[in-house]
Amino acid sequence: MNDLGEVGSGLERHEMEIFLTLAEELHFGRTAERLHLSGAMVSQTLKKIERRLGGPLFERTSRRVTLTPLGRQLYDDMRPHYDALRAAVQRATSAARGIEGTLRVGFLGVMSGIRAHQGAALFRERHPDCAVEVVEVQLDEYVHPLRDGTLDMLVTLVPIQEPDITIGPLLLDAPIYLATSATSPLAARASLTPEDLAGQVFPMVSDRVPQHWLDQYLPQLAAGGTPIGRTEQRCSTYQEILALVSAGKCVAIGDHQLVQYYARPDIAYVPLSGVPNLRHALVWRTAAENARMRAYVDAVTDLLRERAQAA
C-alpha cells in the first residue's frame, strides 16, 4: 500500500495519478513522460481501471483522446479529493521532518533570484507550513550571511573555496560577456578573447570578498601575461560597477543576463570566448543543514530535472 492507501473503488494512488494525468494531457505519450513511465504501463493501468469500474473512461482514436461522460464525472469527483489527500500527507510529512518555520534564501543576480523563487514556489507547494523568504545579496556580502545566520541558503557564484560551505545543485551555467562603455573600440567587436583584456581595467571589489573568489572571473593577468589593472574605487554592488563601466573607467564580466536584464544605451555587452562559463549554485553552511534545507534542495533538483527533460 502506498502513502495514500486505496481510495474509492479500490483505486491505488499510482492508478489515480495515471488517470488524472491522462485526463489533463489527453495524450498517452505525454502522460508517460510526465510520470516517468512507459506508454505500455499507462495503457495497461487504464484498462485495469476501466475493467474494475465497468465502463470506458476515454474514447481513443488514431488522432485524439477524449474523456467519456463517465471519465469526466470521475475526474471532477476525484481531483479535489486527491489533491486534499496529497496536501494532508505533505503536511504530516513536513511536521514529522520538522519542515516548518521560515527558510531564508539569498540570491546574487537577477537569474539567480528567478531560480531561487521558482524553487521556493515548489517548496511551499510541498510544505505549506513552512514560509520562504527570498532576498537579494550584494557582491561584498560573499557567504557572510550564511555564517552569521542571516540566511540559510544562498544562490551565488561558484566555485567557493570554503571548507565550512557545502556546494549544492548548479542553477546557472552561462557563457561570459564583457561589459564595456558604448564609446570604447571594444563595443564595436562581434566577440572578444582573453587577449583583448590586455591593458584593460577591472573594478576593485570590497575587501570583504576573498581574492581567490574574484580571480576566477576577474583575473590579474591577460592571456599574454599583460597585467589587468584595477579601479581605485572599491565597488560593493553591480550597479556601482556598471556606473564605472559607463564612464569608461573599467570593463566588467557578466553572463547573458546582462543582455536580458541590464540593457542600457551607454554600455555594450560583447561575448568573451575562450574563458570558463559563469556558474551559480545553491550553497549553505554545512553545520547548519536541516530538514528544511534538504527539502528545498529536493525542490530545486526536481525543477532542474524537469527543465533538462524539456530542453
Side-chain angles (χ1 to χ4, degrees), residues 226-256:
T226 303
I228 301 174
R230 294 294 188 270
T231 58
E232 293 183 4
Q233 177 182 335
R234 289 185 180 273
C235 299
S236 299
T237 71
Y238 207 77
Q239 291 299 334
E240 292 176 355
I241 291 174
L242 290 181
L244 292 177
V245 171
S246 172
K249 296 183 179 298
C250 70
V251 295
I253 292 295
D255 58 22
H256 191 261

Side-chain angles (χ1 to χ4, degrees), residues 131-143:
V132 186
E133 296 177 357
V134 180
V135 299
E136 184 181 17
V137 301
Q138 302 298 333
L139 279 170
D140 67 334
E141 294 183 74
Y142 187 46
V143 296

Side-chain angles (χ1 to χ4, degrees), residues 166-219:
T166 294
I167 299 178
L170 186 67
L171 274 67
L172 297 172
D173 186 359
I176 284 182
Y177 284 70
L178 190 75
T180 183
S181 167
T183 61
S184 166
L186 296 179
R189 300 276 296 277
S191 64
L192 299 168
T193 68
E195 288 78 8
D196 295 312
L197 297 178
Q200 298 299 319
V201 176
F202 278 142
M204 178 75 78
V205 179
S206 168
D207 56 8
R208 296 184 69 215
V209 179
Q211 193 61 46
H212 71 76
W213 194 53
L214 299 174
D215 283 347
Q216 57 197 326
Y217 300 117
L218 301 176

Side-chain angles (χ1 to χ4, degrees), residues 18-293:
I18 288 173
F19 165 71
L20 292 170
T21 304
L22 183 57
E24 293 166 358
E25 295 288 350
L26 296 177
H27 190 284
F28 280 80
R30 288 195 298 269
T31 297
E33 291 176 6
R34 182 169 153 185
L35 298 179
H36 310 292
L37 299 172
S38 68
M41 174 61 73
V42 173
S43 181
Q44 291 167 8
T45 301
L46 178 61
K47 290 178 181 177
K48 180 179 177 182
I49 296 171
E50 290 177 330
R51 285 197 301 270
R52 191 176 303 163
L53 295 180
L57 299 173
F58 295 88
E59 292 180 356
R60 286 154 281 189
T61 69
S62 59
R63 301 184 63 179
R64 59 184 302 197
V65 177
T66 58
L67 281 165
T68 64
L70 177 63
R72 170 53 63 184
Q73 176 186 334
L74 181 62
Y75 178 84
D76 291 342
D77 289 342
M78 182 183 292
R79 179 85 259 178
H81 295 292
Y82 179 80
D83 290 342
L85 285 169
R86 285 192 63 189
V89 170
Q90 288 171 351
R91 285 193 295 271
T93 301
S94 297
R97 294 178 181 175
I99 305 176
E100 52 190 5
T102 301
L103 179 71
R104 295 157 299 177
V105 182
F107 65 90
L108 179 68
V110 176
M111 281 304 304
S112 291
I114 292 173
R115 296 285 188 266
H117 275 288
Q118 290 170 340
L122 181 56
F123 175 89
R124 283 192 295 263
E125 180 182 323
R126 293 176 173 179
H127 310 288
D129 291 334
C130 185
V132 186
E133 296 177 357
V134 180
V135 299
E136 184 181 17
V137 301
Q138 302 298 333
L139 279 170
D140 67 334
E141 294 183 74
Y142 187 46
V143 296
H144 303 311
L146 298 177
R147 289 176 171 151
D148 66 19
T150 304
L151 294 175
D152 299 305
M153 313 185 85
L154 175 61
V155 183
T156 191
L157 288 167
V158 292
I160 293 175
Q161 300 174 16
E162 303 292 345
D164 62 325
I165 300 297
T166 294
I167 299 178
L170 186 67
L171 274 67
L172 297 172
D173 186 359
I176 284 182
Y177 284 70
L178 190 75
T180 183
S181 167
T183 61
S184 166
L186 296 179
R189 300 276 296 277
S191 64
L192 299 168
T193 68
E195 288 78 8
D196 295 312
L197 297 178
Q200 298 299 319
V201 176
F202 278 142
M204 178 75 78
V205 179
S206 168
D207 56 8
R208 296 184 69 215
V209 179
Q211 193 61 46
H212 71 76
W213 194 53
L214 299 174
D215 283 347
Q216 57 197 326
Y217 300 117
L218 301 176
Q220 303 281 347
L221 301 174
T226 303
I228 301 174
R230 294 294 188 270
T231 58
E232 293 183 4
Q233 177 182 335
R234 289 185 180 273
C235 299
S236 299
T237 71
Y238 207 77
Q239 291 299 334
E240 292 176 355
I241 291 174
L242 290 181
L244 292 177
V245 171
S246 172
K249 296 183 179 298
C250 70
V251 295
I253 292 295
D255 58 22
H256 191 261
Q257 60 185 308
L258 290 177
V259 180
Q260 291 178 291
Y261 301 108
Y262 295 89
R264 41 192 291 181
D266 54 340
I267 296 178
Y269 302 117
V270 186
L272 183 62
S273 61
V275 293
N277 282 1
L278 209 63
R279 310 172 83 205
H280 289 70
L282 182 64
V283 306
W284 59 91
R285 190 166 66 89
T286 306
E289 183 176 317
N290 56 37
R292 287 192 301 267
M293 294 156 67

